[in-house]
Amino acid sequence: MPIYVTRPSMPELNDFMEEIRPIFERRVLTNMGPVYKKFQQMLIEYLEVPELSLFTNGHLALELGIQAVGLKKQGVAVGGGEVITTPFTFVSTTHAISRNNLKPVFCDIRLEDYCMDPDRIEELITDKTVAIVPVHVYGNICDVRKIQKIADKHGLKVIYDGAHAFGEKFDGESIGNFGDATMFSFHATKVFNSIEGGAMAFHDKRYGIPLHELKNFGIHGEVEISAIGGNAKLDEFRAAMGICNLRRMTACIEARRAVHEQYFERLQNVEGIRLCPVQEKVTSNYAYLPIYVDREAFGKSRDDLYATLREHGIYTRKYFYPAINELECYADFQKQATPVAHDAAIHILTLPIYEGLARDEIDRICDIILQK
Ligand code: T4K
């Protein structure tokens, strides 16, 4: 049986059937119906955030979230603003910035947690900078306090891509409460899924109406359109799946923790392999299992290890290779050198981690890794 990098967590079929039965009876299938509203309230409570808007996926939550926050600066033409972000992410982050006609400015990352290096941000700030869009990559939490200090000093907005950080806490505080807004992804491959889905958590009530309306064509009332919006509404069936999966979150995260622990037992003292431990003060969701493969010390490159595992039916991923500023579609930004992100992109392999990955499967993966 092949083993993939992830496998979605799912509820019992009967639980899902119970949750969707009223949708069949009601025939309200979408457009923020009662299941959407119930799911939204459950998430507000689970994530301990004051406000939250649901979207059809994490990408559109971020793209429309950036639009909703309104990144304009006096003297800077609309669309001419610069946004400081990380090149070590899934391409969605950068696309969300670019599709708002904003210019991504790539800040290098720290090798210890692969998040944006806060000590490199200020040197990138210009009079056109309007925001910082950091990513809690792999569920590792950015230096939220330092980033906020910089943002406050320069009058910048901070919008977190928290696609990997669902349910996490820093110093006891929900990760959704830092910055101006935080996006969460509920894609099938994530710790928590509603098949497809996403959310923007925020605390400034002023963002509420734009966020809720932009995903519904900017409709403000039956005959009033408040803004040029799109369509990114989460439908009732996906909301029902989210409700069912949310009930299982504690067990799901505990199962991932056990997988994480077993990998650490087997691999933490292997020369040439660097694991990414849970950060201090962070309540982790164990979203990803990145290993940094040092070819010299380990005796095999990341790419060779990827190929060997593949021959055994184990499909790891090179998240996130190449770094975004090395992609053809961002060729204009290649000049912005980010050597640490480049280094991470060519050395990291993400191993399978999901609820239901059996102990003997993890042992098999580790045995293959250790057979050099
Ligand atoms: N920001 C960041 C930092 C992100 O990582 C992402 C998404 C976003 C923003 C955007 O959020 P969303 O709009 O997606 O909500 C996957 C996901 O499609 C993507 O959601 C995710 N990040 C990215 C890191 O990974 P692929 O192309 O690698 O996925 P795929 O289809 O190859 O799936 C990986 C493995 O998972 C498969 O080999 C098998 C397994 N799988 C996958 C699916 C879809 C299943 O077992 N069942 C499934 O239904 O992008």
Side-chain angles (χ1 to χ4, degrees):
M1 278 288 276
I3 299 177
Y4 297 101
V5 71
T6 188
R7 192 156 156 249
S9 285
M10 291 183 75
E12 292 295 327
L13 181 58
N14 278 344
D15 292 346
F16 184 59
M17 299 298 270
E18 276 311 300
E19 210 57 50
I20 62 172
R21 195 181 305 283
I23 306 175
F24 271 76
E25 287 157 9
R26 213 183 287 120
R27 298 204 184 198
V28 174
L29 305 184
T30 185
N31 287 10
M32 288 73 75
V35 188
Y36 173 105
K37 292 201 174 98
K38 177 176 166 185
F39 182 36
Q40 182 185 33
Q41 190 51 40
M42 283 173 75
L43 282 167
I44 285 175
E45 285 163 24
Y46 183 85
L47 293 171
E48 298 174 15
V49 294
E51 306 275 342
L52 183 121
S53 190
L54 295 174
F55 291 80
T56 192
N57 56 55
H59 173 80
L60 286 171
L62 187 60
E63 188 176 315
L64 294 170
I66 289 172
Q67 187 182 348
V69 167
L71 300 178
K72 288 184 206 131
K73 199 172 200 180
Q74 243 184 345
V76 178
V78 177
E82 295 176 353
V83 174
I84 298 174
T85 188
T86 168
F88 192 69
T89 182
F90 189 56
V91 73
S92 163
T93 318
T94 328
H95 285 351
I97 296 167
S98 303
R99 287 169 61 82
N100 273 290
N101 291 321
L102 295 159
K103 181 181 163 198
V105 174
F106 295 108
C107 176
D108 212 350
I109 59 168
R110 310 189 282 206
L111 206 49
E112 70 258 31
D113 56 15
Y114 313 116
C115 292
M116 190 186 267
D117 183 346
D119 296 332
R120 307 296 304 272
I121 295 175
E122 279 198 286
E123 66 201 58
L124 300 171
I125 295 176
T126 70
D127 54 4
K128 291 190 176 153
T129 308
V130 288
I132 309 173
V133 176
V135 179
H136 299 306
V137 70
Y138 304 136
N140 289 342
I141 300 306
C142 300
D143 193 333
V144 286
R145 296 215 169 112
K146 238 184 201 173
I147 291 173
Q148 195 58 52
K149 251 191 196 154
I150 297 168
D152 290 344
K153 181 172 160 197
H154 297 273
L156 306 175
K157 296 277 199 300
V158 183
I159 302 163
Y160 282 103
D161 179 335
H164 304 170
F166 184 84
E168 293 195 311
K169 289 186 175 171
F170 174 70
D171 212 1
E173 177 71 48
S174 165
I175 212 59
N177 288 330
F178 293 94
D180 291 276
T182 298
M183 178 275 272
F184 296 107
S185 163
F186 310 156
H187 184 259
T189 56
K190 297 294 189 295
V191 168
F192 166 71
N193 83 82
S194 61
I195 308 172
E196 291 265 3
M200 209 65 182
F202 57 99
H203 40 87
D204 186 335
K205 282 192 185 314
R206 279 175 310 169
Y207 302 147
I209 289 174
L211 268 171
H212 296 310
E213 292 181 354
L214 281 171
K215 65 161 169 264
N216 188 22
F217 311 102
I219 293 175
H220 187 66
E222 213 174 304
V223 291
E224 197 185 332
I225 304 296
S226 61
I228 303 172
N231 181 359
K233 291 162 282 159
L234 186 78
D235 67 74
E236 296 285 277
F237 287 86
R238 291 192 175 97
M241 183 68 157
I243 287 172
C244 295
N245 273 335
L246 195 55
R247 292 191 187 117
R248 306 184 55 262
M249 272 315 279
T250 307
C252 168
I253 291 183
E254 174 51 29
R256 300 181 80 101
R257 191 201 57 73
V259 173
H260 186 269
E261 187 178 87
Q262 195 182 340
Y263 274 122
F264 268 65
E265 280 165 14
R266 293 290 315 269
L267 301 176
Q268 71 182 340
N269 295 321
V270 177
E271 220 191 319
I273 288 197
R274 196 164 72 222
L275 296 166
C276 203
V278 173
Q279 297 156 293
E280 235 180 275
K281 297 191 185 169
V282 171
T283 311
S284 178
N285 63 9
Y286 309 95
Y288 289 82
L289 205 299
I291 61 170
Y292 181 102
V293 184
D294 178 338
R295 184 187 183 155
E296 297 299 303
F298 183 62
K300 201 176 206 172
S301 71
R302 183 275 304 265
D303 290 348
D304 290 343
L305 185 57
Y306 168 87
T308 306
L309 286 161
R310 220 179 148 84
E311 280 162 21
H312 288 83
I314 295 155
Y315 297 91
T316 61
R317 295 300 285 263
K318 299 174 193 178
Y319 294 137
F320 292 98
Y321 172 82
I324 304 297
N325 47 351
E326 292 168 357
L327 288 171
E328 199 58 45
C329 62
Y330 288 105
D332 291 353
F333 305 102
Q334 279 170 3
K335 280 172 258 110
Q336 298 169 10
T338 52
V340 186
H342 173 76
D343 184 73
I346 62 173
H347 287 105
I348 290 178
L349 198 62
T350 47
L351 300 183
I353 182 166
Y354 50 86
E355 182 192 15
L357 185 62
R359 284 194 71 82
D360 61 337
E361 290 177 312
I362 303 164
D363 275 333
R364 188 157 78 84
I365 295 166
C366 294
D367 289 344
I368 296 165
I369 292 172
L370 296 173
Q371 258 165 41
K372 283 189 228 166

